[in-house]
Amino acid sequence: MPAPAEGRVAVVTVSYNSSAQLPPFLESVARSTLAPGHVVIVDNASRDVDETEAVAREQGASVVRLEQNLGYGGAVNAGVRSLPASVEYVLISNPDVALAPEALAILMTAAEADASLGAVGPRILNPDGTTYPSARSVPSIRTGVGHAVLAQPWPTNPWTRAYRAESKDATSPRSAGWLSGSCLLVRRTAFEAINGFDEGYFMYFEDVDLGYRLGKAGWVNRYEPAAEAVHIGGLSTRSESERMLRAHHESAIRFIHAKYSRPVLAPVRWVLTLGLKARLRVVARRAR
């Protein structure tokens, strides 16, 4: 007889000086119609870890304290490793997300109904009620270059729209190249089979890479819009520091080297890397 659903699903979130954001997220988890068996907060060497532990005690969560900041992917990996073997599914989420009461149950039902699913993502809403494009295509050379060059001066260009899958119906389930790491349910066997997140990505692209590797391994990434979550930080700011811009471009270069790793594709890697480095110089100058 299978274990009860609540004993087979856990929640892992990552906090980096985010103790103030945790209570609304944990309260939304507590209101879920499917109670997770374990809720783990991974603290990425924060200054406010004591406050995080106090929130965890109040909400019945546990804390994994890291001695150094491993980035989002590395912290999630540590959280998943801390879970007992009985956990088969893990909801990975940012702490600035609020789940709808049925969201976790709907994601679990979808995953249980189709053994090919490696990850299932909800419809992620911005605070103003608009839909964030959380289920996207894996960037190709054409869409990646078009998006990188034209996204800022021409946001509605066809390459950006294709990459963000903006022509897709936001209310219909579908497969996707990758799902936003801000909130998604992963099948633990699939996640562990590909060694979880690539910890070489400190910020950005770790979710693109995860979805891409799941797909290469034969798993399906599924967008399930009947499940909803509000990303409270989704519209927080449109400005980026030079450090964040540099991290974004370095992660993009890492993904390019991973996707186009064959020796025969070396010229592709060189050209795209040079293009991204040139783009970084331009956008960093604008940021200053």
Side-chain angles (χ1 to χ4, degrees):
M1 180 179 295
E6 60 268 21
R8 298 163 55 216
V9 62
V11 173
V12 171
T13 189
V14 178
S15 178
Y16 178 67
N17 300 318
S18 307
S19 61
Q21 296 175 320
L22 286 168
F25 169 69
L26 295 175
E27 288 163 7
S28 76
V29 171
R31 289 193 298 269
S32 174
T33 56
L34 173 61
H38 302 268
V39 178
V40 176
I41 304 167
V42 184
D43 183 84
N44 243 339
S46 302
R47 296 185 302 274
D48 64 351
V49 63
D50 292 338
E51 289 87 344
T52 293
E53 291 193 326
V55 171
R57 286 192 297 271
E58 292 174 2
Q59 299 286 341
S62 60
V63 177
V64 174
R65 296 180 65 155
L66 300 180
E67 294 183 359
Q68 60 180 342
N69 188 343
L70 299 181
Y72 187 71
V76 169
N77 288 349
V80 173
R81 285 194 298 269
S82 75
L83 296 171
S86 59
V87 172
E88 300 176 38
Y89 299 93
V90 184
L91 183 79
I92 297 166
S93 182
N94 285 356
D96 59 349
V97 164
L99 302 174
E102 300 287 341
L104 185 53
I106 292 170
L107 296 176
M108 271 286 289
T109 298
E112 292 274 74
D114 187 345
S116 72
L117 301 188
V120 190
R123 182 180 186 180
I124 297 178
L125 302 174
N126 294 309
D128 64 0
T130 57
T131 299
Y132 175 76
S134 61
R136 304 190 186 187
S137 304
V138 173
S140 64
I141 293 175
R142 182 174 61 181
T143 58
V145 171
H147 173 68
V149 173
L150 297 172
Q152 288 190 346
W154 182 18
T156 59
N157 73 81
W159 298 278
T160 293
R161 287 179 58 81
Y163 167 58
R164 291 162 60 100
E166 292 184 351
S167 63
K168 305 290 186 180
D169 181 4
T171 63
S172 298
R174 58 181 170 83
S175 59
W178 63 277
L179 301 163
S180 172
S182 63
C183 187
L184 78 163
L185 182 80
V186 296
R187 189 184 303 272
R188 191 175 185 179
T189 52
F191 186 79
E192 292 182 341
I194 63 168
N195 297 314
F197 283 111
D198 179 348
E199 297 184 18
Y201 295 92
F202 185 76
M203 293 174 65
Y204 306 112
F205 271 84
E206 67 279 332
D207 46 6
V208 184
D209 175 78
L210 182 76
Y212 173 64
R213 288 187 293 116
L214 282 171
K216 281 188 67 177
W219 298 96
V220 175
N221 299 289
R222 176 65 54 82
Y223 170 65
E224 182 46 74
E228 293 186 351
V230 178
H231 191 187
I232 299 167
L235 294 178
S236 57
T237 177
R238 295 186 183 275
S239 64
E240 293 184 278
S241 68
E242 186 172 348
R243 181 181 67 87
M244 294 171 68
L245 289 168
R246 185 171 301 280
H248 190 277
H249 285 73
E250 288 174 352
S251 292
I253 290 170
R254 181 179 180 85
F255 180 72
I256 285 168
H257 281 250
K259 186 179 181 186
Y260 304 111
S261 59
R262 291 163 51 201
V264 70
L265 296 175
V268 173
R269 295 195 299 273
W270 298 336
V271 170
L272 294 178
T273 297
L274 288 173
L276 281 166
K277 288 182 176 180
R279 182 181 187 275
L280 173 60
R281 286 196 292 271
V282 172
V283 296
R285 190 178 303 119
R286 288 176 184 167
R288 296 190 201 110

